[in-house]
Amino acid sequence: MENNAVYDVVIVGGGPAGLAAGLYCQRAAVRTVLFEKGLIGGQIAISKEVENYPGIEGITGFDLAEKLLHHAKGFGLQIVQEEVVSIQVGRDLHSVQLANGDLYRTTALILAAGGSVRKLGIPGEAEYLGSGVSYCATCDGFFFRDKTVVVVGGGDTAAEEAVYLSKLAKKVYLVHRRDSLRAKMVLQNRLRAEPRIEPVWNTVVRTIEGNGREVERVMIENSISGEMKSLAAEGVFIFIGYDPNRVVVPPEVRTNELGFVVTDEKCETNVPGIFASGDLRQKFANQIVIAAGDGAVAALAASRYVESRKTRKTIP
Ligand code: NAP
C-alpha cells in the first residue's frame, strides 16, 4: 500500500493516450505512475483489426496494446491496476484517490481515461462484437466492402459514418428511431446524395442475429405500427452517442456541454498542472494515432510544468 506517495506525474488511463504519455514522461525522467482500472490498451484491446496506425500495416487491437505497453514498460513506466475514484485539485499538489483506499499526490496529472460508446443493449450486440457489430466505421468499414450494413442512429456521427460506409458497402440501411435526423443539414444533404443509403424511419433494432460466427440479419420493429421485420445485413454499425469518462474529471476542470475536457494546444486544461489527452479531450476526431499523439504532447507539457515548479521552489 502506497499511502500518500508523491509523484511528479500521475496518468489516469492505460489506453494509447496514457501509455504514450507514460513513455514520454519516462524519457523526460519525471517520476510517473499510471493507473488503469481495466484492460491495458483501453478500447483498442477489444478491436479485432487495426489497419490505420502509421507504420504498422495490420495488427489486432490486442497486439497493438501489448506493443504500447511493452514499449512504455521498457522505459520503466510504473503501472498500477487500480481504479481512480476521485481527484482533488490542490494548490501545489493534486490528490488522486484510489478505490482500494490509497491516496497519491502529484504535481501534474494527465487525464487519459477516454470514455465509452453508448450501446443498444440488445441480444446479439455483445455476442457479435468484432464479428459484424462495430462502433467505428473508420476501423472496421473496410471489412464490409460490397456487403450490406445497417447503421443505427440519427446524429452527426451516424450520418457521417453512413456516408463513409456507402463508399465501401454495396448497401447501407440507416435505421433511425424517429422520422427526422438530428444530424446537421449539411450532413443530411450528403446522405441524401448517396444512392446506396436507404433510410429506415421510425424503426428500432430489436435483435442482431447470425450463425454464431457472423452477423446475418437484424430484427427491426416499426415504432408506430409495431410491425416486426427481418433485414439481411452482414454488418451493424451503432452510432448512438459517446460518453466521456467524467468520474476522473474534477469539477474545477472546464468541459464542453457534452462532458469532454477543454484544453489548449499543450493539452493543458484551465487548471494548472492538469492535462487531458485522447478521447476524453474535446477535439476534431478520435483515432488511436491521435490519442497517442495527444499523450505525447500532454507528457512533454506536463514534464515542462513539473520542471518549472521545481525550479520555482529552489529560488530563495
Ligand atoms: P448524438 O448527437 O447524441 O446522436 C445520437 C443519435 O442516436 C440520435 O439520433 C439519437 O436519436 C440516437 N439514439 C440515442 N440512443 C438511442 C437508442 N437507444 N436507440 C436508437 N437510437 C438512439 O451523438 P453523435 O451523433 O455521436 O454526436 C455526438 C456529438 O458530436 C454531437 O454534438 C455532434 O454534433 C458531434 N459530432 C459532430 C460532427 C461534425 O460536426 N462533423 C461529427 C460527429 C459528431 P434521437 O435523435 O431520437 O435522440
Side-chain angles (χ1 to χ4, degrees), residues 235-252:
V236 183
F237 287 81
I238 300 162
F239 304 114
I240 59 170
Y242 181 90
D243 295 316
N245 189 349
R246 295 162 196 244
V247 175
V248 300
V249 182
E252 295 86 344

Side-chain angles (χ1 to χ4, degrees), residues 11 15-25 34 53 68 72 77 291-296 299:
I11 300 168
L19 290 170
L23 170 70
Y24 271 76
C25 283
L34 180 152
Y53 196 86
L68 291 167
L77 178 65
D294 262 11

